Amino acid sequence: MAFDTIIKSGRVVTATDSYVADVGIAEGRITAIGQDLPQQNAAKVVNANGKLVFPGGVDVHTHLDMPFGGTTSADDFETGTRAAAFGGTTTLIDFAIQYKGQPLRKAFDTWMAKASGKAVSDYAFHCIVTDVSGGQLQEMNSLVSEGVTSFKLFMAYPGVFMLDDASIFRALQTTAKNGGLVCMHAENGSAIDVIVQQALAEGKKAPKYHALTRPTTAEAEATARAIALAEMAGAPIYIVHLTCNDALEKVREARDRGLPVYAETCPQYLYLSIENFDVPGFEGAKYVFTPPLREKWHQEKLWNGLKCDHLQVVSTDHCPFCFKEQKELGRDDFTKIPNGGPGIEHRMSLIYSGGVAQGRFSANRFVELVSTTPAKLFGLYPRKGTIAAGSDADLVIFDPKRKHTISAKTHHMRVDYSMFEGIEVTGMPDLVLSRGQVLIDGDKFLGRAGQGKFLRRSTYSQVNG
Ligand code: URP
Ligand code: ZN
Ligand code: ZN
C-alpha cells in the first residue's frame, strides 16, 4: 500500500475514540489507520509523537464578504478561509443571502462567485431566505438537490431579514418534506425594535445600548416559538448563536421531549460578557453583535450545556468589521454600528482550552462539538468530521500543551482588533492538512487561493435518519 503522507504515532482523537496510531493518506483521503504503517511506502512522514490528531474543524456559521449595515464584512473567502486554517478549521459553511423579491438562485450564484478561486479550504452554503412570496419555497427544493440543504431564517431585523410566522411555518413545512434543516436566528425582532426606538428617544446611543435593548427574554420567547413552529411542521430545527440560559432552557425542554431540536453557541458567549462594554469611549463597538453579550453568569450555563449535550455545536458567527471606518459608522448611534465580530481563527483553541484543558469535558466531546456533529447535522459526514478510512484527509496535528496569547498583532484575520485580545489559550494547531495538502505548518501558510472546493451536501435526514 503506497501513501502520499503518513502521520506517525499521534494520538488519534475522534468523537468516540482516542488511541495512538499512524494515519496513512493517499490522493487526499485517509486510506489506512494502524500501527507501524510501512514508512518505505510513503512520500512523506510527519512525526506526531506526543501530539493529538483531530479531524479538521467544521465551522457552520461564517459571514465572509457579506454586505451588512452599509458596509461589507472585512474577510473575503481567501483571507477568511486562510485565518480559519491557521486555527485548525478546514471546512466552512457560509450564508448566501436572498434579498427580498429575489430568487434563491441569485443568492447561490452570487456567493459561489465570491468563493470561487479564493477559498483555500472546502466550503458550502446555507441560504438565507428573507421572502417566500414568489416561488422561493419550490426553489428550496431545487437548492437541496444542488447540495444547499439548509436555510437560515430570521425572527429579528424587521424590514431587512425578518420573516413573519406564517412564512417561517411554510418554510419549515418545506424542509420537513425535502429533508433539509432550518437554522433560526431566534430573537423577537418586533419587541426589540420598540425598545430600541424608546432608547434612542431617551438619547441612549452608546454601543452598550445595543446589548441593553435586546433582553434575554426576547431570545427565549423566539426560541420557544421557533421550536413550536418546527414541532407543528414536523421539521427539525437548529437554533443559531444561542447566548443565554433562558433560551438554553427552551432547547433543553424540547430535547427532553425527544424533539429534533439542536443549538449552537459561539466562543464570544463563553468568554465575553456585558462587562466588556465597560471600556472608554466608543471601544464597546468592538463587542456589538447580535444576539448580544449577556451577564457573566450565563457563561458557565453554556459551558455546562455543551458538556451535557443541551448544546451540540460551537460555531463562530464570524462577521468581522474593522473598528476604524466600519464600526465607526455608528459612532453617534449604536443602531448604525455594523453587527458582527471576528472569531474564525480561534474557535478550536478557545474551546479546547476552556473545555478540555480546564477539565469541563473530554477531548472526544471537543471533537464532537467542533467537527463531528456540525458535519453530521449539515450533511457532510463522514466525508468531513471524523478520522476514518475513506474520509477526506482534513487533519489537525494539535499540541495540547502549547500556550498562545490571542492578539490582533499576530492574528491572520483581516480586521484591526481582536474580541479575545490578551486571552491566553492552552492548545494550538502545529500542522493543518486539507485533503492531504499541508495548509499550515507552524506559522507558515503553505496553501493557495482557489484550492478549496464547493461541497454539495447531503440532507439532514439522509445523514441523521
Ligand atoms: O451580529 C451578527 N451576528 N452578525 C451576523 C448576522 C447574524 O445574525 O448572524
Ligand atoms: Zn443571526
Ligand atoms: Zn451569523
Side-chain angles (χ1 to χ4, degrees), residues 207-225:
K208 70 176 175 191
Y209 290 107
H210 173 78
L212 295 174
T213 53
R214 307 185 87 90
T216 57
T217 316
E219 186 178 337
E221 182 279 326
T223 302
R225 183 158 38 100

Side-chain angles (χ1 to χ4, degrees), residues 109-350:
D109 291 347
T110 304
W111 259 262
M112 283 292 271
K114 284 175 190 272
S116 161
K118 289 201 152 191
V120 311
S121 60
D122 295 350
Y123 58 93
F125 295 110
H126 316 276
C127 186
I128 290 179
V129 180
T130 64
D131 175 11
V132 296
S133 60
Q136 290 90 358
L137 293 170
Q138 289 76 8
E139 269 198 286
M140 285 170 73
N141 297 330
S142 323
L143 281 193
V144 164
S145 59
E146 291 184 64
V148 178
T149 56
S150 46
F151 303 88
K152 184 176 178 188
L153 312 182
F154 284 81
M155 301 172 106
Y157 299 118
V160 187
F161 293 138
M162 189 167 117
L163 280 179
D164 59 39
D165 286 354
S167 302
I168 290 171
F169 186 59
R170 281 151 61 83
L172 283 161
Q173 286 181 320
T174 305
T175 53
K177 286 210 185 85
N178 68 24
L181 183 60
V182 164
C183 307
M184 189 65 81
H185 180 127
E187 283 185 299
N188 186 319
S190 306
I192 286 169
D193 216 30
V194 173
I195 304 171
V196 167
Q197 295 314 318
Q198 288 168 348
L200 291 178
E202 290 167 20
K204 296 173 173 165
K205 297 187 174 174
K208 70 176 175 191
Y209 290 107
H210 173 78
L212 295 174
T213 53
R214 307 185 87 90
T216 57
T217 316
E219 186 178 337
E221 182 279 326
T223 302
R225 183 158 38 100
I227 291 168
L229 291 168
E231 185 177 7
M232 285 190 280
I237 192 157
Y238 179 89
I239 308 294
V240 293
H241 46 44
L242 187 145
T243 70
C244 59
N245 190 52
D246 322 27
L248 180 61
E249 282 298 299
K250 305 296 179 195
V251 171
R252 191 180 60 73
E253 282 163 19
R255 289 178 59 80
D256 282 352
R257 288 201 290 123
L259 293 174
V261 171
Y262 308 92
E264 64 175 25
T265 191
C266 312
Q268 51 271 35
Y269 304 117
L270 296 161
Y271 277 86
L272 309 178
S273 76
I274 195 138
E275 291 168 22
N276 285 82
F277 287 101
D278 297 337
V279 282
F282 185 64
E283 290 281 305
K286 293 175 179 174
Y287 308 102
V288 169
F289 37 80
T290 306
L293 291 174
R294 305 302 189 184
E295 289 174 13
K296 218 175 169 59
W297 64 269
H298 291 276
Q299 293 172 357
E300 206 48 52
K301 298 285 184 188
L302 296 179
W303 280 113
N304 189 57
L306 293 172
K307 175 182 167 182
C308 299
D309 204 34
H310 307 319
L311 295 167
Q312 294 71 44
V313 173
V314 180
S315 69
T316 59
D317 194 9
H318 177 74
C319 188
F321 297 104
C322 287
F323 185 71
K324 289 229 169 314
E325 292 178 13
Q326 293 195 295
K327 291 287 185 184
E328 280 180 340
L329 291 169
R331 202 168 256 291
D332 303 320
D333 175 351
F334 73 87
T335 64
K336 299 200 167 58
I337 300 170
N339 286 198
I344 208 166
E345 186 167 348
H346 299 112
R347 180 182 67 123
M348 303 272 279
S349 286
L350 285 164

